[in-house]
Amino acid sequence: MKPQIENTKLNRSIKQSKLIKITLFMTTILLIVMMSGSLYFRDRVYITDRGVTTELMISDQDIDTVLATGGYSIGANDRITYTAEDEHTAYITITRAFDITINADGKELTVPVIDETAAEALEKAGITLGENDLIDCELDEEVYEGMSITITRVNYQLRATTSEIPYSTIYVDNSNMVIGEERVVTHGENGVRTYVVKEKYIDGVLSAQELTADNIEKEATTMVIERGTALAEPYAKMDDPEALTLVNGLPDNFTRIVSGKATAYTAGYGAYTASGRPAEIGTAAVNPNVIPYGSELYIVSQDGTQVYGYAIAADTGIALMDGTVAIDLYFGPRAEHFYDSCAWGAVQVDIYVLSEGSGY
């Protein structure tokens, strides 16, 4: 029995020896495998692209190499996010860029964007909004694929325009001047007016105008022209020629007409009339029973070639009282106007009584 026991021990020893060898071999293999894994399969990378996540085992830590190994093509505007969880685990997220269009300044621009607002997209496109420009979305709105943004340019300009204010012309009747004669009393001059218009341009096209100022820089000066209304130049000129209105050379307002012969006379300096008035050009001698003293008169020859003009009935004489002469016209001091009275002679006239005198 003893030998059998020894053989059993020997067998057990042999088995233990084999087990140790196997263990050593397996340990060696495991170490080799572990060493191999640390060199070739050490890192685990999770790659997410367009919402799909893929696991990749790779030892190289260069992102471009990792993505190339995984077969990922990256666009110039795509965004890569890398996050390391620990020494052997990492996460890569690929955010793909997409295009939007921006219409501005007559051009359509294609702009690649990622998770950006409209304002950021405009900045990327190099587009600046003016103070009055319009955009068809909110600046803080997040852009989306296929989005189209339109910019409307709105500009305002102030335009000043200067124009002339034409002067007007008025005519003043002058009974001391002959019909057809004119005399400029005041020269006309154009004025100056300035308009300021606010113009609204939409994308360079004028769309609206608003008058914001209308200023008269200089008033126009009215031209005043005197024009004659007498048939011939009056010998006795009125101090206020506008006070007598003549139509076709004759008074348009009178009480009656006395017709007859008109003569002319002169007197010495300082002479007085029968009514007590000083003798002066514009006084006339009459029959006070026919034409009372103080009556206002207008005397014109019946053929219209001679006009004594406006006079006051203030004197009388023998020829006037007996009816030989209807009126005797005073031509002034003898020393100066004798020949003027001679030139008048005796003329058939119409005496327009403008107003009846009181006899004084």
Side-chain angles (χ1 to χ4, degrees):
M1 295 297 294
K2 188 175 182 179
Q4 186 175 358
I5 293 172
E6 290 178 354
N7 288 338
T8 299
K9 290 180 177 179
L10 179 60
N11 289 336
R12 183 179 299 169
S13 176
I14 292 172
K15 289 180 179 180
Q16 289 178 345
S17 177
K18 290 180 178 181
L19 183 59
I20 291 170
K21 290 180 180 180
I22 290 172
T23 300
L24 291 172
F25 176 76
M26 292 301 294
T27 301
T28 301
I29 294 299
L30 182 59
L31 288 172
I32 293 173
V33 170
M34 290 177 65
M35 291 176 65
S36 175
S38 65
L39 292 174
Y40 302 105
F41 303 101
R42 182 187 64 183
D43 297 328
R44 188 187 305 272
V45 181
Y46 295 94
I47 303 174
T48 300
D49 182 19
R50 294 185 175 92
V52 177
T53 302
T54 302
E55 181 183 6
L56 181 65
M57 302 297 293
I58 187 169
S59 63
D60 200 317
Q61 295 185 4
D62 179 71
I63 294 178
D64 291 338
T65 301
V66 172
L67 293 175
T69 301
Y72 293 95
S73 176
I74 305 301
N77 298 293
D78 294 338
R79 185 170 63 203
I80 307 299
T81 303
Y82 176 84
T83 304
E85 183 178 281
D86 53 38
E87 184 180 354
H88 301 295
T89 304
Y91 296 88
I92 295 177
T93 300
I94 304 172
T95 304
R96 298 291 181 177
F98 55 86
D99 290 339
I100 66 169
T101 57
I102 300 178
N103 299 283
D105 304 318
K107 300 178 182 178
E108 183 177 273
L109 303 177
T110 300
V111 182
V113 293
I114 299 176
D115 297 335
E116 297 171 27
T117 63
E120 292 169 333
L122 294 180
E123 183 178 358
K124 179 179 286 187
I127 295 175
T128 302
L129 286 179
E131 178 183 359
N132 301 302
D133 292 342
L134 302 176
I135 182 171
D136 62 353
C137 66
E138 298 296 329
L139 287 173
D140 58 358
E141 180 179 344
E142 190 170 318
V143 297
Y144 52 86
E145 190 167 0
M147 184 179 187
S148 177
I149 299 175
T150 298
I151 305 298
T152 302
R153 300 293 190 185
V154 180
N155 295 309
Y156 292 93
Q157 295 181 9
L158 292 178
R159 178 174 57 84
T161 302
T162 299
S163 64
E164 285 188 339
I165 304 174
Y167 65 82
S168 58
T169 302
I170 61 173
Y171 291 89
V172 177
D173 289 341
N174 188 328
S175 60
N176 291 336
M177 295 169 57
V178 179
I179 294 174
E181 289 184 353
E182 291 186 350
R183 182 174 67 88
V184 176
V185 178
T186 304
H187 288 278
E189 189 173 349
N190 290 333
V192 178
R193 190 171 205 157
T194 300
Y195 302 92
V196 178
V197 177
K198 184 178 182 180
E199 298 178 332
K200 181 179 181 181
Y201 290 86
I202 296 181
D203 287 332
V205 178
L206 179 64
S207 65
Q209 294 179 307
E210 177 187 357
L211 181 64
T212 60
D214 181 358
N215 300 317
I216 297 178
E217 307 295 336
K218 178 184 176 183
E219 295 282 358
T221 301
T222 301
M223 174 175 280
V224 180
I225 299 176
E226 286 186 332
R227 57 187 175 187
T229 58
L231 292 175
E233 182 178 356
Y235 186 81
K237 294 180 171 59
M238 298 180 66
D239 293 333
D240 183 9
E242 297 176 37
L244 178 62
T245 302
L246 300 179
V247 177
N248 297 322
L250 302 174
D252 71 339
N253 189 15
F254 52 90
T255 61
R256 57 196 170 104
I257 300 175
V258 178
S259 299
K261 184 188 295 183
T263 56
Y265 75 103
T266 60
Y269 290 109
Y272 279 80
T273 64
S275 66
R277 291 174 179 266
E280 57 186 358
I281 297 174
T283 57
V286 296
N287 183 343
N289 297 320
V290 178
I291 302 175
Y293 291 148
S295 297
E296 294 181 282
L297 313 172
Y298 188 80
I299 302 96
V300 58
S301 68
Q302 291 180 347
D303 64 4
T305 60
Q306 294 175 267
V307 175
Y308 182 79
Y310 178 82
I312 298 292
D315 208 355
T316 189
I318 296 174
L320 296 154
M321 296 305 293
D322 65 16
T324 304
V325 175
I327 191 167
D328 198 13
L329 306 171
Y330 182 70
F331 267 66
R334 185 176 297 109
E336 299 175 14
H337 298 284
F338 175 74
Y339 292 104
D340 294 333
S341 65
C342 293
W344 175 271
V347 180
Q348 291 296 317
V349 299
D350 287 328
I351 305 165
Y352 290 82
V353 181
L354 305 177
S355 68
E356 301 289 341
S358 62
Y360 298 99

